[in-house]
Amino acid sequence: MIDRLAAPDEDALVLPEGWARNVHPRRGGLPGDAAPPRPAARRSLAGLIERTRPSLVIADLTALTQ
């Protein structure tokens, strides 16, 4: 029986290791730890939620079950 070497996947993009720091995170990107949100971003989001909370509509689900 002849041993065959596996051919590289021609459809896969393999970046050099030195380029990894330049890759922007996105779906299917490089694996790694998620960056924690910045404190200013947390405060900004909390303020947005508080400002829009009065305009949120909460559905009355009891009407759907009768």
Side-chain angles (χ1 to χ4, degrees):
M1 180 175 268
I2 299 173
D3 290 331
R4 296 183 185 210
L5 297 175
D9 184 358
E10 294 178 355
D11 295 325
L13 174 64
V14 179
L15 297 177
E17 288 182 26
W19 292 11
R21 70 179 186 276
N22 297 321
V23 175
H24 295 283
R26 58 180 62 139
R27 236 179 341 180
L30 297 175
D33 296 334
R38 297 183 319 267
R42 288 178 182 246
R43 288 190 300 273
S44 177
L45 181 58
L48 176 63
I49 291 170
E50 287 303 314
R51 287 191 306 275
T52 58
R53 187 183 307 269
S55 65
L56 296 176
V57 177
I58 300 174
D60 182 5
L61 297 179
T62 58
L64 298 174
T65 59
Q66 297 177 356

